[in-house]
Structure formats: structure tokens, C-alpha cells
Amino acid sequence: MKTVAVVGTQWGDEGKGKIVDLLAADADVIVRFQGGNNAAHTLVVDGEKFILRLVPAGALYSNKTCVIGNGTVVDPLALLSEIDDLKKRRGLADDFLKLSYEAHIVFPYHRAIDQAREARAGKRAIGTTGFGIGPAYEDKMSRAGLRFDDLANFQSFTEKLRRNVADKNAYLKAVLKGKPLSGADMLEAMRRARRRLMPYLCDTGEYLAQAIAAGKRVLFEGAHGTMLDIDHGTYPFVTSSNCIASAAFAGTGMGPGQLDAVLGISKAYTTRVGAGPFPTEIKGWLADSLREEGVEFGSATGRPRRIGWFDAVLARLAARVNGMWALALTKLDVLTGIDPIKLCVGYQYKGNRYETMPPGRHSMDTAKPIFEEMRGWKERIGDARSLEELPANARRYIERIGELAGVSIAIVSVGPDRAATIVLKNPFA
Ligand code: GDP
Ligand code: IMO
Ligand code: MG
């Protein structure tokens, strides 16, 4: 297969970064298609850790092209500091990255509005990352947004930005009781950033079309996860973009017939950062111990992640809406020593049993998980590189997850490092 999309099947942080970095070895072009620096993808190579927020996880190789597509919203200063860090640590060539002219710019007023709204919402807060992603997508949809394309004519860019700052300041002051921001500071920062950003700007849709026509292998890197998708997730406790595989089309300009396969990523258990329903959530010492063992603290904000058992209802939903070819199961090593291990096989809701999501997503607020228990294992599994090297109970667990999700398991990850992986089926093979 030549074009493959990797997407999260849960509430984010499934280990997409690790799997994209691994598969990128066989790809030519690696593409982000939605979201912004609310994403945080951790890569560990030979013990060295990298956290990528906007740059696709192909950046650790010297011979790949990374593309940030039109469906993303990009904080230019965050992007430049990420580029600087990567260049310093990896000595990347200047042309390693292409940024779509049509991507929208995230400004300080987006962050200020995001944070002020969350503070005002109190107990009703979504628990956003506070990076202004929702307000930036709002501006895109209301056609008030500025795109990198607008930087070409700095005079008209200046006029539009001044108008936006005036509008946002009025809203910030009157409604959110926040402090107004300086438009002059923003313009000055953009004037400086512009010179550095221009060389990266590209008609990325055309670039990708040519790459695909030339037979290059293209890997699409989803951010967040299916349950954070604006349409299919646990609305309103979601992010402000579509993060399922079909977003790769609108978010890059590639046509639907051109995607060969979708690989869903799932933890061997479940985590969630921020508020919202979580039927299989675990509280108390067991959650604390899994959080500790799995280092389940948000890479974007440092917040402790909520912990729960694997949920097959979510896996089936993700398999359906993403048209999933197979699943990569990550963090299996974290379950070592847990016995029994619970798996949610369905929900009990209003007296009925459901194998797929009960009608109306608010059903998740009260649905009760139906659990099945499996025997655990005690052996450390971080060095396993084939299924045969895993304890029999770990193999049974993997097999059961594949059965419940209705898709085959392509990859099993047993540690954060690129090397700590069992590849059963490589989509690019
Ligand atoms: P992403 O947002 O989906 O890319 O995931 P994050 O990088 O935010 O969170 C996943 C975390 O789990 C990171 O700290 C990874 O280094 C780590 N990780 C990924 N796969 C494994 C695994 O198989 N075992 C363990 N122990 N850690 C893993
Ligand atoms: P990656 O790509 C985990 C969550 C936030 C919050 C909700 C809305 O690393 O998997 P936003 O700032 O997007 O408006 O916040 O979505 N969220 C994530 N949780 N991983 C992510 O990305 C997330 N991106 C957004 O915690 O609950
Ligand atoms: Mg993450």
C-alpha cells in the first residue's frame, strides 16, 4: 500500500507519534491534516525523547518530506520554535517541511479567548489545552480567519489583523471580562515570523498530488482521537476539528479514492485528558498505579490523564467511522502485573445491552460498561519482538481485542522506544 492514514481510536495520546515515527521509515512524505499544537506526539529513539506538536513525526529522519496540510490551524511562533529545536537536535535541511498556504493562523487572541472561556465556565469547562484551537477553527468557519496565504500582502494582512484584534478585544472585555491584547505587538511578531515562514509555504495539495502520482509513499498523521472528533466524539467534550480518517481528504486536498489504508491506534487500556464521559474509568489505587507505570501525564499540558479499561464499544465505533484496515495496540507492557485485566465488551443502557454505541451520544453519560475478565501476566515484556516472545495470557489478550474490535492487529507496542515494537503487518510492505 502506498498511502496510509494513522488515527487515534480513543481520546488521544494512544501513541500515534510512536507508530507514525516507526512507519515513517518506509514512507517518503508524512502529512498532518488537522488540529494544531493541542496535539503532542512523543517519539523516543535510542532513549532520546522528542515531543512534536505541529511538525509531523517524520522529522527524525533526514530524507523525508514533512507536510502541514490546509486542515490544520498553526500558531506560527510555536511552529518556528519547534522547527528550531528539531534543526538543532537533528540537523534537518531547510526544505524538510512544507506548510500549506491555506492553513489558518492561530493568534494570541485565540488563546486568550480559549482560556478566558474555560475560566468562566468553571465546573462546565471542557478542559481544553488552552492553545486557542477552538476559537481559531471558529474564525475559519465564520470566514474571519487569516491564513498563511494572507502573509503575501502584508498591508492587507495588517488591515485584517487590526480589524480582528478590535473585534476580539471588544468581546474579551465586554463578555469574558478579560484584558485587551496589543495589536501592535501581534503585528510586530508576525512581521518577524513572516520572513522565516515564507520559505516553507507551499501549495501542499498539488505537491501531494504529484507525490502520489510519482508513486511515493505517503503517511497521514492524525491528531487527537475518534472520541474527540467534533462530529463522532463525546460532544461537547471534544476538540474543534474532525480527527477521523476522512478529515485527511478535506485537510490535504487528496481525493477519497486515493487512500489505501487506515491504521487505528489504541492503547491496551484507555486514557482521557479533560472533562467528559468515560464509561470504563477506573478510580483509586489501580488508576494511580497504571498512571505511574504508563507515565500518563499529558505531554501538552502536564495534566494527569484519567485511566480506564479497554472499551470495545469505542473500538467498534472507531473501526466503523475510520474504515479501519487494522489496529496497532500500544502500551501492552503497562498492564504487566495487573490480574485480572478487565475488558469492556458492551454497554448496559436503559435496560438493554449494546455492543455498539447506544443511540444518542449522551447515552455515554449513564451507560454502564459490561466487563469480561482475563488473566494477566507477570513477566516484563519490553524486550519482546515477536508474538512468540510474549506470555500466553498477553497473546490471548491481544487476540481478544482484535476479535472484539472486529479488525486484525497489525502492530503491538511494548515500550516507548521506536524499537520496542512487534510488527505483524506493515501497511507499506
Ligand atoms: P500520541 O498523542 O497519540 O502521539 O501519544 P502521546 O505521545 O501523547 O502519548 C503516548 C505516551 O506513551 C508517550 O509518552 C509515548 O512515549 C508512550 N508510549 C507509546 N507507546 C508505548 C508503549 O508501547 N509502552 C509504553 N510504556 N509507552 C508507550
Ligand atoms: P494528541 O494528538 C489528548 C482534548 C483536551 C480537551 C479537548 C478539547 O496528543 O492525541 P482543545 O484544546 O483541543 O480544544 O481541547 O480535547 N485534547 C486532547 N487530549 N490528546 C490530544 O492530542 C488532544 N487534543 C485535544 O484535553 O479535553
Ligand atoms: Mg498526545
Side-chain angles (χ1 to χ4, degrees):
M1 292 186 282
K2 296 259 182 182
T3 51
V4 176
V6 165
V7 293
T9 63
Q10 299 166 314
W11 280 286
D13 304 328
E14 297 91 348
K16 299 175 292 293
K18 169 182 165 160
I19 302 298
V20 171
D21 166 69
L22 174 83
L23 296 179
D26 294 319
D28 302 297
V29 185
I30 300 90
V31 192
R32 269 285 299 270
F33 52 89
Q34 45 70 234
N37 61 334
N38 48 345
H41 301 167
T42 314
L43 283 46
V44 184
V45 181
D46 300 330
E48 196 184 349
K49 180 167 157 178
F50 299 82
I51 296 181
L52 300 182
R53 313 293 303 272
L54 287 159
V55 173
L60 300 195
Y61 302 87
S62 55
N63 56 344
K64 315 283 174 192
T65 304
C66 291
V67 173
I68 301 180
N70 58 274
T72 59
V73 291
V74 176
D75 178 331
L77 303 187
L79 176 62
L80 287 173
S81 89
E82 202 171 313
I83 292 173
D84 288 343
D85 182 55
L86 279 166
K87 281 194 169 170
K88 198 158 65 196
R89 291 171 74 187
R90 303 299 285 191
L92 292 166
D94 281 332
D95 62 353
F96 87 101
L97 183 72
K98 300 193 184 302
L99 169 62
S100 170
Y101 283 111
E102 291 152 345
H104 276 250
I105 303 177
V106 180
F107 289 101
Y109 50 75
H110 293 128
R111 271 204 311 277
I113 291 170
D114 189 357
Q115 291 167 14
R117 276 191 194 148
E118 284 283 280
R120 212 170 122 84
K123 275 207 225 133
R124 290 177 298 102
I126 291 166
T128 70
T129 57
F131 294 123
I133 306 304
Y137 275 114
E138 282 171 39
D139 278 0
K140 170 177 177 170
M141 291 308 177
S142 72
R143 293 155 292 180
L146 284 158
R147 312 198 292 184
F148 287 92
D149 199 19
D150 289 302
L151 287 172
N153 181 340
F154 204 69
Q155 194 178 339
S156 81
F157 177 87
T158 302
E159 286 158 21
K160 287 181 194 169
L161 186 61
R162 284 211 177 107
R163 272 202 303 276
N164 275 4
V165 173
D167 283 359
K168 304 300 175 185
N169 275 345
Y171 173 62
L172 264 168
K173 259 172 44 188
V175 179
L176 300 175
K177 313 292 175 216
K179 285 201 193 94
L181 300 169
S182 157
D185 287 355
M186 256 176 258
L187 266 171
E188 186 45 36
M190 283 312 298
R191 193 191 306 282
R192 273 185 271 121
R194 176 174 180 262
R195 255 181 290 131
R196 298 200 48 210
L197 289 165
M198 292 304 273
Y200 296 109
L201 297 188
C202 169
D203 181 343
T204 50
E206 191 53 36
Y207 173 82
L208 278 175
Q210 288 180 15
I212 293 170
K216 296 211 169 146
R217 289 168 163 187
V218 185
L219 182 57
F220 295 87
E221 175 183 343
H224 330 307
T226 301
M227 297 313 293
L228 289 170
D229 181 274
I230 187 81
D231 287 296
H232 302 282
T234 47
Y235 191 90
F237 299 100
V238 292
T239 191
S240 294
S241 63
N242 282 114
C243 25
I244 58 172
S246 49
F249 306 124
T252 64
M254 172 185 59
Q258 290 184 298
L259 185 61
D260 293 332
V262 178
L263 178 67
I265 316 294
S266 171
K267 277 180 188 165
Y269 48 97
T270 311
T271 63
R272 159 160 225 180
V273 207
F278 188 175
T280 66
E281 185 164 18
I282 311 169
K283 300 259 170 74
W285 69 269
L286 183 56
D288 295 342
S289 133
L290 283 166
R291 184 177 303 111
E292 210 56 30
E293 188 59 35
V295 200
E296 297 295 0
F297 297 89
S299 336
T301 55
R303 291 177 289 175
R305 295 176 184 148
R306 297 157 68 194
I307 312 281
W309 298 110
F310 179 84
D311 186 335
V313 178
L314 306 191
R316 289 183 198 112
L317 177 75
R320 173 170 68 79
V321 299
N322 292 296
M324 243 156 68
W325 160 76
L327 197 65
L329 195 64
T330 61
K331 304 196 91 159
L332 187 68
D333 53 304
V334 177
L335 292 180
T336 292
I338 307 291
D339 198 5
I341 300 172
K342 290 197 195 182
L343 279 153
C344 167
V345 296
Y347 291 164
Q348 194 73 34
Y349 177 63
K350 291 193 173 165
N352 294 315
R353 184 190 164 113
Y354 291 87
E355 315 265 284
T356 54
M357 195 65 75
R361 212 46 54 86
H362 284 293
S363 59
M364 276 189 99
D365 296 341
T366 50
K368 292 277 171 286
I370 300 165
F371 286 117
E372 179 178 290
E373 291 190 353
M374 292 191 76
R375 301 311 318 199
W377 59 92
K378 289 203 171 61
E379 300 86 337
R380 293 264 155 215
I381 59 171
D383 293 329
R385 297 294 176 266
S386 68
L387 283 186
E388 293 67 40
E389 291 168 77
L390 291 175
N393 285 347
R395 287 204 301 272
R396 279 189 202 106
Y397 185 67
I398 296 167
E399 203 177 308
R400 185 70 183 127
I401 284 184
E403 258 170 33
L404 287 168
V407 289
S408 60
I409 308 288
I411 295 174
V412 179
S413 172
V414 292
D417 207 280
R418 187 192 280 169
T421 320
I422 301 170
V423 180
L424 303 168
K425 290 199 291 188
N426 181 339
F428 287 121

